[in-house]
Amino acid sequence: MINLDLTGKTALIGGSTQGIGLASAQALASMGACCVLISRNEEKLKLAVQTLDTAAGQRHTYLVADYAQPEQVRNVVAGFLEGNTIHILVNNTGGPAGGPASNAKPEEFMQAFQQHLICNHIIATLVMEGMKVAAYGRIINIISTSVKIPLRDLGVSNTIRGAVASWAKTMANELGRFGITVNNVLPGATSTERLATILSNKSAKTGKTVEEVEHEMMEEVPARRFGKPEEIAAMVAFLASPAAAYVNGTSIPVDGGRTGSI
């Protein structure tokens, strides 16, 4: 039988008040995990926690931290770990603003680097010692299909996402011996607030209606539709499970077949 049981495991999920982050937390909770949500908006966190399954007797909680402030993230997570162990880490936070790389200012790259790679690294290095002791660890990074093929007008995002993917592969090589896997999930166009923003921006830039832009984007996807957050979360949940113990150092697109590489 495939072992998908996460009873007794604790998961820390970033950006988990909405979209893919929240869907991932809900999926992990449904498999028995105790979930710790982390985001900057406490009111949204309180509401998100209430949506999580507690059938296995879990007591879910949350941490308030802003990924724009890496040291705050460090202090908040370190404080939680004083009496707790994290077995599953889902690194996830909002993407940088769009635009060509050639127009981006250096500080835009620096800000995105801090929010994504640096915060990912801070949290991963904090939780990995507990994972080693438990001989069970899953570090899952929500990135983008731009890791495979850069996307138009997402210059800063393409650059930083690629750096995160390379970091993840390096960490996978270093941590695999301890029963810790590090993998990347690469969502394609997914029905989230970020996608709505991208559609709106493209509409304003091209003069086309949002519906026209949406149709054009869907035509690029063999499945002819956008993904659902819960479909991305299903891959996160599998990678977090005991069944995925030998999946390590991968970058897996979940994009309806849009990415044009093998």
Side-chain angles (χ1 to χ4, degrees):
M1 294 180 64
I2 298 177
N3 185 358
L4 303 176
D5 185 16
L6 294 177
T7 303
K9 302 294 191 294
T10 299
L12 176 62
I13 307 102
S16 41
T17 60
Q18 61 188 19
I20 294 169
L22 177 56
S24 296
Q26 291 168 338
L28 295 171
S30 74
M31 294 161 64
C34 177
C35 293
V36 182
L37 312 186
I38 180 168
S39 183
R40 62 186 178 183
N41 189 313
E42 186 168 13
E43 291 307 310
K44 288 185 177 181
L45 283 165
K46 289 178 180 178
L47 294 174
V49 166
Q50 295 175 16
T51 71
L52 303 181
D53 191 302
T54 57
Q58 309 100 305
R59 297 184 65 182
H60 307 296
T61 189
Y62 64 82
L63 304 174
V64 181
D66 186 347
Y67 279 50
Q69 302 180 49
E71 286 308 307
Q72 181 188 79
V73 171
R74 182 194 302 276
N75 293 336
V76 167
V77 174
F80 179 80
L81 290 173
E82 289 179 3
N84 301 278
T85 297
I86 295 295
H87 305 92
I88 301 159
L89 169 62
V90 181
N91 281 317
N92 175 58
T93 189
S102 54
N103 290 349
K105 298 177 181 179
E107 52 266 31
E108 293 179 72
F109 288 100
M110 291 300 297
Q111 181 181 12
F113 191 79
Q114 293 271 355
Q115 290 179 332
H116 291 265
L117 195 143
I118 296 302
C119 282
N120 287 4
H121 184 70
I122 286 173
I123 301 173
T125 52
L126 285 171
V127 303
M128 69 185 187
E129 294 307 317
M131 292 178 174
K132 289 178 182 178
V133 173
Y136 190 101
R138 302 286 188 267
I139 298 173
I140 303 161
N141 308 296
I142 310 297
I143 314 183
S144 166
T145 56
S146 65
V147 165
K148 299 286 187 180
I149 297 178
L151 301 173
R152 290 191 302 272
D153 290 324
L154 290 175
V156 174
S157 180
N158 292 340
T159 304
I160 301 306
R161 306 291 197 182
V164 172
S166 184
W167 165 82
K169 181 64 172 177
T170 303
M171 292 289 279
N173 293 340
E174 295 176 1
L175 299 178
R177 73 190 69 181
F178 302 108
I180 302 171
T181 65
V182 186
N183 292 291
N184 304 318
V185 174
L186 314 180
T190 308
S191 296
T192 62
E193 289 187 12
R194 176 163 172 77
L195 179 61
T197 299
I198 291 173
L199 292 172
S200 178
N201 290 342
K202 284 190 175 183
S203 172
K205 184 176 180 180
T206 62
K208 298 176 182 178
T209 67
V210 170
E211 291 74 19
E212 288 172 330
V213 174
E214 183 177 60
H215 178 73
E216 289 177 356
M217 287 185 66
M218 284 187 182
E219 284 294 306
E220 297 177 359
V221 183
R224 293 298 188 270
R225 66 176 178 86
F226 296 146
K228 302 173 184 177
E230 55 265 33
E231 292 174 315
I232 314 302
M235 178 58 69
V236 173
F238 172 71
L239 292 173
S241 74
Y246 206 55
V247 182
N248 192 29
T250 63
S251 291
I252 305 174
V254 185
D255 66 350
R258 186 187 66 178
T259 301
S261 62
I262 296 174

